């Protein structure tokens, strides 16, 4: 029996299903949660299905999260999507689910699915894995579900530029088009910005700094966000505005969330960085990771480690 059949058989056996995602939501986890909910609802109209995730302003076009009671969690099949470990679940009640299925594409450091752990690290998005669940089981899906899954695929793959994207990825996108996908609508929604965000992006581009060996970085404080009237999420989403500079294969956006909490988004091309993130309590993909630290001295340590990694890479490859 394939993993896809196992997952579908378990879904069939429950009348109540909750689909959950990770903290600090992004397009992939929200897209997966909504996409899978819409798939199950369309195929099994009598089932009670909810998507539990954090609401994110730029994804509001997909709709807001559902709410669930403690009892619903305890009596439901919980499907966790795009969440690497139990420490990152968006709602701790996930762990009280009657049974838990984990579907994810991050390193499987914590197989917390009590029933099924479906993890494929090489996938460019978790949404692509949800599409496979749909195709392998001939499931139905709503127009909103199609939009949500495409949103997950396009955002987590960097517009289909990141590692893990291959012909199979694009074939699945073509199938979504055949199902009625209006990709232009999604691109328009994701491309929307405000004048404040545009001005803030100008600040980021004018104030980016570079380590001796080419790591690009910027440090964002609450005062800077307030000055430009942008939210924490809006600021963090600009990490890839630092990409594309010749010789700078690693870039980082440090965003101070609270007095003793500095969150970083580390990105790279060609150069592995998730092992360095792990040394400081973070993690993620080989070329996209996150770290949370308590002070800027540690931030400087991270920059030094990344700078050394880039130096070593250039000596071997450039």
């Amino acid at each position: 029996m394939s993993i896809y059949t196992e997952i579908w058989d378990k879904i069939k056996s429950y009348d109540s299903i909750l689909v959950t995602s990770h903290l600090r939501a992004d397009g992939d986890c929200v897209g997966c949660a909504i996409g899978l909910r819409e798939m199950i609802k369309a195929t099994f109209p009598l089932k009670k299905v909810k998507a539990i995730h954090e609401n994110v302003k730029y994804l509001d076009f997909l709709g807001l999260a559902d709410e669930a009671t403690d009892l619903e969690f305890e009596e439901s099949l919980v499907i966790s999507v795009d969440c690497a470990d139990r420490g990152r679940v968006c709602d701790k009640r996930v762990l009280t689910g009657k049974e838990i299925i984990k579907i994810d594409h991050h390193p499987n450091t914590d197989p917390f699915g009590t029933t099924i752990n479906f993890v494929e690290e090489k996938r460019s998005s978790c949404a692509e894995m949800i599409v496979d669940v749909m195709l392998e089981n001939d499931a139905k899906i709503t127009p909103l579900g199609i939009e949500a899954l495409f949103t997950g695929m396009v955002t987590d793959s960097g517009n289909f530029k990141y590692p893990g994207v291959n012909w199979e990825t694009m074939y699945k996108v073509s199938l979504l088009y055949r199902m009625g996908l209006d990709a232009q609508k999604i691109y328009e929604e994701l491309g929307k910005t405000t004048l404040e965000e545009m001005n803030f992006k100008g600040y980021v581009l004018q104030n980016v700094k570079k380590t001796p060996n080419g790591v690009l970085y910027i440090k964002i404080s609450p005062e800077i966000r307030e000055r430009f009237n942008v939210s924490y999420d809006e600021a963090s989403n600009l990490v890839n505005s630092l990409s594309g500079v010749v010789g700078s294969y690693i870039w980082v956006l440090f965003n101070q969330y609270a007095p003793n909490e500095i969150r970083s988004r580390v990105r790279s091309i060609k150069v592995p960085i998730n092992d360095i993130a792990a040394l400081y309590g973070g993690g993620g993909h080989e070329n996209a990771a996150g770290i949370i630290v308590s002070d800027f001295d540690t931030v400087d340590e991270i920059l030094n480690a990344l700078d050394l990694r880039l130096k070593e890479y250039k000596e071997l490859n450039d």
Side-chain angles (χ1 to χ4, degrees):
M1 181 185 297
S2 73
I3 189 72
Y4 306 107
T5 303
E6 286 185 55
I7 292 170
W8 207 241
D9 284 350
K10 189 58 65 174
I11 288 171
K12 288 179 182 177
S13 70
Y14 274 84
D15 293 326
S16 178
I17 301 161
L18 304 180
V19 189
T20 71
S21 60
H22 63 67
L23 285 169
R24 295 180 290 282
D26 58 21
D28 194 21
C29 74
V30 173
C32 286
I34 294 174
L36 186 53
R37 180 195 67 189
E38 294 298 298
M39 184 194 311
I40 298 171
K41 284 174 60 177
T43 310
F44 307 108
L46 298 182
K47 292 187 185 295
K48 185 178 180 181
V49 192
K50 293 184 176 181
I52 312 297
H53 56 83
E54 293 179 342
N55 292 316
V56 185
K57 184 179 177 182
Y58 76 94
L59 298 171
D60 280 354
F61 68 95
L62 295 175
L64 301 180
D66 301 315
E67 295 183 356
T69 65
D70 293 350
L71 185 60
E72 283 181 286
F73 270 96
E74 293 166 8
E75 295 183 344
S76 297
L77 170 65
V78 175
I79 305 177
S80 173
V81 293
D82 196 39
C83 185
D85 58 74
R86 67 195 72 199
R88 294 203 70 211
V89 295
C90 69
D91 190 318
K92 296 301 180 184
R93 295 177 297 171
V94 167
L95 304 175
T96 68
K98 194 167 185 179
E99 291 189 83
I100 304 171
I101 294 175
K102 174 185 176 182
I103 303 176
D104 187 38
H105 69 135
H106 298 91
N108 196 21
T109 56
D110 182 9
F112 63 90
T114 57
T115 304
I116 298 172
N117 288 281
F118 175 33
V119 179
E120 293 190 349
E121 298 177 23
K122 298 299 183 181
R123 298 293 193 108
S124 62
S125 69
C126 186
E128 183 181 346
M129 299 170 68
I130 302 299
V131 172
D132 277 340
V133 172
M134 175 178 66
L135 296 176
E136 293 293 329
N137 292 288
D138 294 322
K140 299 177 182 178
I141 194 167
T142 66
L144 173 59
I146 293 171
E147 291 181 358
L149 292 177
F150 180 77
T151 298
M153 293 178 73
V154 72
T155 54
D156 231 40
S157 66
N159 288 325
F160 305 111
K161 295 183 295 186
Y162 295 163
V165 174
N166 54 33
W167 71 267
E168 292 179 314
T169 307
M170 304 313 294
Y171 175 67
K172 286 158 200 168
V173 171
S174 75
L175 294 179
L176 294 180
Y177 271 101
R178 289 185 65 181
M179 294 176 190
L181 170 66
D182 182 357
Q184 186 63 37
K185 173 186 174 183
I186 307 302
Y187 284 121
E188 288 175 359
E189 290 289 348
L190 294 174
K192 287 180 179 178
T193 189
T194 64
L195 183 59
E196 289 87 356
E197 290 172 318
M198 188 177 294
N199 288 332
F200 177 69
K201 184 175 182 179
Y203 170 86
V204 169
L205 295 177
Q206 289 181 337
N207 289 275
V208 63
K209 292 180 169 49
K210 185 171 73 169
T211 64
N213 291 290
V215 176
L216 298 181
Y217 68 94
I218 188 163
K219 301 175 182 177
I220 305 298
S221 68
E223 291 76 21
I224 293 173
R225 295 198 302 271
E226 183 177 355
R227 171 181 162 191
F228 288 93
N229 192 31
V230 296
S231 68
Y232 165 82
D233 287 322
E234 289 166 342
S236 294
N237 286 339
L238 283 181
V239 58
N240 282 326
S241 65
L242 308 182
S243 66
V245 176
V246 175
S248 293
Y249 304 138
I250 302 175
W251 57 99
V252 197
L253 188 147
F254 297 99
N255 202 355
Q256 186 174 13
Y257 185 77
N260 296 311
E261 186 172 336
I262 302 157
R263 299 175 178 178
S264 62
R265 294 192 178 187
V266 190
R267 302 291 185 265
S268 70
I269 184 170
K270 303 180 181 179
V271 189
I273 45 81
N274 58 336
D275 58 329
I276 293 177
L279 291 175
Y280 292 91
H285 302 289
E286 188 172 85
N287 302 110
I291 314 170
I292 300 176
V293 297
S294 60
D295 57 79
F296 279 102
D297 286 341
T298 308
V299 164
D300 291 338
E301 287 182 23
I302 293 169
L303 283 171
N304 288 335
L306 292 171
D307 187 64
L308 179 60
R309 171 63 56 81
L310 187 52
K311 178 183 178 183
E312 292 170 345
Y313 175 85
K314 287 182 174 181
E315 288 174 348
L316 291 173
N317 297 278
D318 281 7

